[in-house]
Amino acid sequence: MIDLTIIWAFIIAFAVFMYVVMDGFDLGIGILFPALQPGAERDKAMNSVAPVWDGNETWLVLGGGGLLAAFPLAYSIILPAIYPPIIAMLLGLVFRGVAFEARWRDPKHMSFWDFTFTSGSIIAAFSQGVTLGALLQGVQVSGRAYAGGWLDWLSPYSILTGLGVTIGYALLGATWLIYKTDGPVQDHSYRLAAKLAPATIVSLAAVSIYTPFLENEYWDRWFTMPNILFSAQVPLITGIIIFALYRALKKRHELAPFLLTLGLFLLGMIGLGISMFPYVVPDTITIWDAAAGESSLIFMLIGTIITVPFILGYTAWAYWVFRGKVSDEGYH
């Protein structure tokens, strides 16, 4: 028998990962903006994402909307616990979007819009990491409602995850620029990636070491038999990807660094799944406890089956049309 609850859990996880894939690198470009030279270098970086950036939040809507529709109890508990970082993330995305468009139309104030673009990108990325950390460290629940305070999300662990996501997005941005640019901008991006790669690895290692100590359940899932036979493959594959990433940067490969960085994020998602599944609110609410009724899940699944292929199709088409390197004037 098909378990619709598990199917919806995977749909939401897929939407979150697609958001990281699609929006992570353009947030990363915003984070890197102060390290890029004003003028042609920043313009080329912006042009590399201009044709595709505004469709990337589609996956964020699917993830958030899917959580509300498929797991309403989890939504009603989690959202009050993380209102401040969620509000900060949305404001960051708004300011970043306005700055993206305004810097071309208001060149007299370009330095202001560049600052706004960077600030919005950093705030959005950091808030996403803080939200992840706040969820992993646990949420106080009483009955079927959030029972914690306004600032329970703020902790050393959530700050660490916020910094880790921000650094990781910056690495994604640098490797994207390696793939999409050439000349001095590409050379600069290689140098930035060489610095950001070890920083990303250190932050990933710090979060990975910290996480099992948050909950006894997390420790058991990672370090007890027979779980360890599966979970041990995650750090092993991570080590292989890290080695391949350093090798790809040293040999100046163009596409491989970006794909390998995405691989690190995918392994992070798998690690998150190992730690949390089947809980949507750690150690309190499982996906089955939080799920909507079967008829609702079926109805929404039909719509998702119809719409998601269209989203994937027009996204793939957009990336295909704007394939190749970006020049100072645009794509060539």
Side-chain angles (χ1 to χ4, degrees), residues 5 36 40 75 89 93 110 112 117 147 222 224 232 245 264 273 286 294 302:
T5 303
L36 302 176
Y75 186 92
M89 179 193 72
L93 291 175
M110 186 169 290
F112 169 76
F117 180 63
W222 282 96
T224 60
L245 176 60
L264 290 177
T286 68
E294 182 178 0
I302 293 172

mmCIF file of all heavy atoms in Angstrom, residues 5 36 40 75 89 93 110 112 117 147 222 224 232 245 264 273 286 294 302:
data_model
loop_
_atom_site.group_PDB
_atom_site.id
_atom_site.type_symbol
_atom_site.label_atom_id
_atom_site.label_comp_id
_atom_site.label_asym_id
_atom_site.label_seq_id
_atom_site.Cartn_x
_atom_site.Cartn_y
_atom_site.Cartn_z
ATOM 1 N N THR A 5 1.755 9.882 3.137
ATOM 2 C CA THR A 5 2.483 10.764 4.043
ATOM 3 C C THR A 5 3.967 10.788 3.710
ATOM 4 O O THR A 5 4.598 11.861 3.665
ATOM 5 C CB THR A 5 2.281 10.319 5.497
ATOM 6 O OG1 THR A 5 0.878 10.296 5.794
ATOM 7 C CG2 THR A 5 2.972 11.269 6.461
ATOM 8 N N LEU A 36 33.874 41.385 -5.233
ATOM 9 C CA LEU A 36 33.984 41.607 -6.674
ATOM 10 C C LEU A 36 34.225 43.084 -6.963
ATOM 11 O O LEU A 36 33.736 43.953 -6.246
ATOM 12 C CB LEU A 36 32.702 41.134 -7.383
ATOM 13 C CG LEU A 36 32.317 39.667 -7.180
ATOM 14 C CD1 LEU A 36 30.983 39.378 -7.855
ATOM 15 C CD2 LEU A 36 33.392 38.733 -7.699
ATOM 16 N N ALA A 40 32.473 46.276 -14.305
ATOM 17 C CA ALA A 40 32.289 45.147 -15.213
ATOM 18 C C ALA A 40 32.226 43.806 -14.479
ATOM 19 O O ALA A 40 31.451 42.919 -14.861
ATOM 20 C CB ALA A 40 33.424 45.126 -16.245
ATOM 21 N N TYR A 75 3.060 22.742 10.559
ATOM 22 C CA TYR A 75 3.144 24.154 10.161
ATOM 23 C C TYR A 75 2.728 25.065 11.308
ATOM 24 O O TYR A 75 3.379 26.076 11.597
ATOM 25 C CB TYR A 75 2.254 24.386 8.943
ATOM 26 C CG TYR A 75 2.345 25.759 8.332
ATOM 27 C CD1 TYR A 75 3.234 26.026 7.303
ATOM 28 C CD2 TYR A 75 1.520 26.797 8.773
ATOM 29 C CE1 TYR A 75 3.314 27.288 6.729
ATOM 30 C CE2 TYR A 75 1.592 28.060 8.216
ATOM 31 C CZ TYR A 75 2.494 28.302 7.186
ATOM 32 O OH TYR A 75 2.571 29.549 6.631
ATOM 33 N N MET A 89 14.203 36.472 6.658
ATOM 34 C CA MET A 89 14.509 35.880 5.360
ATOM 35 C C MET A 89 13.659 36.516 4.260
ATOM 36 O O MET A 89 14.179 36.883 3.193
ATOM 37 C CB MET A 89 14.258 34.373 5.394
ATOM 38 C CG MET A 89 14.540 33.682 4.066
ATOM 39 S SD MET A 89 13.906 31.999 3.980
ATOM 40 C CE MET A 89 12.144 32.287 3.859
ATOM 41 N N LEU A 93 14.926 38.662 1.052
ATOM 42 C CA LEU A 93 14.631 38.321 -0.342
ATOM 43 C C LEU A 93 13.972 39.487 -1.071
ATOM 44 O O LEU A 93 14.239 39.731 -2.254
ATOM 45 C CB LEU A 93 13.721 37.083 -0.392
ATOM 46 C CG LEU A 93 14.350 35.761 0.053
ATOM 47 C CD1 LEU A 93 13.303 34.652 0.077
ATOM 48 C CD2 LEU A 93 15.507 35.369 -0.860
ATOM 49 N N MET A 110 24.067 53.294 -7.640
ATOM 50 C CA MET A 110 24.403 51.882 -7.769
ATOM 51 C C MET A 110 25.104 51.337 -6.520
ATOM 52 O O MET A 110 24.884 50.193 -6.128
ATOM 53 C CB MET A 110 25.260 51.642 -9.014
ATOM 54 C CG MET A 110 25.518 50.162 -9.283
ATOM 55 S SD MET A 110 26.241 49.833 -10.900
ATOM 56 C CE MET A 110 24.850 50.207 -11.986
ATOM 57 N N PHE A 112 24.598 52.138 -3.471
ATOM 58 C CA PHE A 112 23.563 51.856 -2.470
ATOM 59 C C PHE A 112 22.844 50.560 -2.795
ATOM 60 O O PHE A 112 22.601 49.726 -1.903
ATOM 61 C CB PHE A 112 22.557 53.006 -2.399
ATOM 62 C CG PHE A 112 21.333 52.688 -1.589
ATOM 63 C CD1 PHE A 112 21.381 52.668 -0.207
ATOM 64 C CD2 PHE A 112 20.128 52.388 -2.220
ATOM 65 C CE1 PHE A 112 20.242 52.355 0.545
ATOM 66 C CE2 PHE A 112 18.993 52.073 -1.479
ATOM 67 C CZ PHE A 112 19.049 52.064 -0.095
ATOM 68 N N PHE A 117 21.690 44.797 -2.147
ATOM 69 C CA PHE A 117 21.710 43.462 -2.734
ATOM 70 C C PHE A 117 22.536 42.511 -1.861
ATOM 71 O O PHE A 117 22.113 41.388 -1.563
ATOM 72 C CB PHE A 117 22.296 43.529 -4.144
ATOM 73 C CG PHE A 117 22.370 42.206 -4.851
ATOM 74 C CD1 PHE A 117 21.229 41.491 -5.150
ATOM 75 C CD2 PHE A 117 23.601 41.679 -5.228
ATOM 76 C CE1 PHE A 117 21.298 40.271 -5.805
ATOM 77 C CE2 PHE A 117 23.676 40.464 -5.879
ATOM 78 C CZ PHE A 117 22.527 39.757 -6.174
ATOM 79 N N ALA A 147 4.915 26.008 22.557
ATOM 80 C CA ALA A 147 4.895 26.438 23.955
ATOM 81 C C ALA A 147 6.143 27.215 24.343
ATOM 82 O O ALA A 147 6.347 27.511 25.517
ATOM 83 C CB ALA A 147 4.732 25.223 24.877
ATOM 84 N N TRP A 222 22.923 7.913 14.472
ATOM 85 C CA TRP A 222 24.209 8.002 13.795
ATOM 86 C C TRP A 222 25.233 6.970 14.272
ATOM 87 O O TRP A 222 26.061 6.525 13.490
ATOM 88 C CB TRP A 222 24.802 9.407 13.978
ATOM 89 C CG TRP A 222 24.190 10.422 13.074
ATOM 90 C CD1 TRP A 222 23.180 11.282 13.377
ATOM 91 C CD2 TRP A 222 24.513 10.676 11.703
ATOM 92 N NE1 TRP A 222 22.857 12.053 12.291
ATOM 93 C CE2 TRP A 222 23.671 11.717 11.249
ATOM 94 C CE3 TRP A 222 25.446 10.135 10.819
ATOM 95 C CZ2 TRP A 222 23.728 12.216 9.953
ATOM 96 C CZ3 TRP A 222 25.510 10.645 9.522
ATOM 97 C CH2 TRP A 222 24.659 11.657 9.103
ATOM 98 N N THR A 224 24.725 4.018 16.617
ATOM 99 C CA THR A 224 24.389 2.704 17.148
ATOM 100 C C THR A 224 24.144 1.728 16.004
ATOM 101 O O THR A 224 23.777 2.131 14.897
ATOM 102 C CB THR A 224 23.138 2.766 18.045
ATOM 103 O OG1 THR A 224 22.022 3.249 17.283
ATOM 104 C CG2 THR A 224 23.377 3.678 19.238
ATOM 105 N N ALA A 232 27.329 5.851 8.316
ATOM 106 C CA ALA A 232 28.769 6.052 8.115
ATOM 107 C C ALA A 232 29.106 6.334 6.655
ATOM 108 O O ALA A 232 30.172 6.899 6.354
ATOM 109 C CB ALA A 232 29.546 4.837 8.601
ATOM 110 N N LEU A 245 36.552 17.910 -5.090
ATOM 111 C CA LEU A 245 36.379 19.357 -5.232
ATOM 112 C C LEU A 245 37.735 20.058 -5.257
ATOM 113 O O LEU A 245 37.982 20.923 -6.115
ATOM 114 C CB LEU A 245 35.523 19.891 -4.090
ATOM 115 C CG LEU A 245 35.328 21.415 -4.034
ATOM 116 C CD1 LEU A 245 34.662 21.932 -5.309
ATOM 117 C CD2 LEU A 245 34.494 21.797 -2.808
ATOM 118 N N LEU A 264 27.731 18.333 -1.896
ATOM 119 C CA LEU A 264 27.884 18.547 -0.452
ATOM 120 C C LEU A 264 26.549 18.951 0.175
ATOM 121 O O LEU A 264 26.202 18.490 1.274
ATOM 122 C CB LEU A 264 28.931 19.626 -0.192
ATOM 123 C CG LEU A 264 30.389 19.268 -0.491
ATOM 124 C CD1 LEU A 264 31.296 20.465 -0.247
ATOM 125 C CD2 LEU A 264 30.846 18.086 0.369
ATOM 126 N N GLY A 273 17.951 14.217 6.989
ATOM 127 C CA GLY A 273 16.935 13.179 6.985
ATOM 128 C C GLY A 273 17.254 12.054 7.958
ATOM 129 O O GLY A 273 16.362 11.546 8.652
ATOM 130 N N THR A 286 5.540 13.243 14.613
ATOM 131 C CA THR A 286 5.977 12.530 13.420
ATOM 132 C C THR A 286 5.216 13.043 12.201
ATOM 133 O O THR A 286 4.217 13.772 12.324
ATOM 134 C CB THR A 286 5.737 11.017 13.553
ATOM 135 O OG1 THR A 286 4.320 10.763 13.554
ATOM 136 C CG2 THR A 286 6.351 10.477 14.836
ATOM 137 N N GLU A 294 -6.339 11.845 4.226
ATOM 138 C CA GLU A 294 -5.943 11.120 3.014
ATOM 139 C C GLU A 294 -6.527 11.752 1.755
ATOM 140 O O GLU A 294 -5.828 11.878 0.743
ATOM 141 C CB GLU A 294 -6.391 9.655 3.114
ATOM 142 C CG GLU A 294 -5.975 8.825 1.915
ATOM 143 C CD GLU A 294 -6.391 7.370 2.050
ATOM 144 O OE1 GLU A 294 -6.999 7.016 3.078
ATOM 145 O OE2 GLU A 294 -6.126 6.578 1.108
ATOM 146 N N ILE A 302 -2.386 14.988 -6.950
ATOM 147 C CA ILE A 302 -2.773 15.065 -8.355
ATOM 148 C C ILE A 302 -2.315 16.394 -8.957
ATOM 149 O O ILE A 302 -1.733 16.445 -10.048
ATOM 150 C CB ILE A 302 -4.298 14.897 -8.502
ATOM 151 C CG1 ILE A 302 -4.715 13.478 -8.106
ATOM 152 C CG2 ILE A 302 -4.729 15.191 -9.946
ATOM 153 C CD1 ILE A 302 -6.218 13.282 -8.031
#
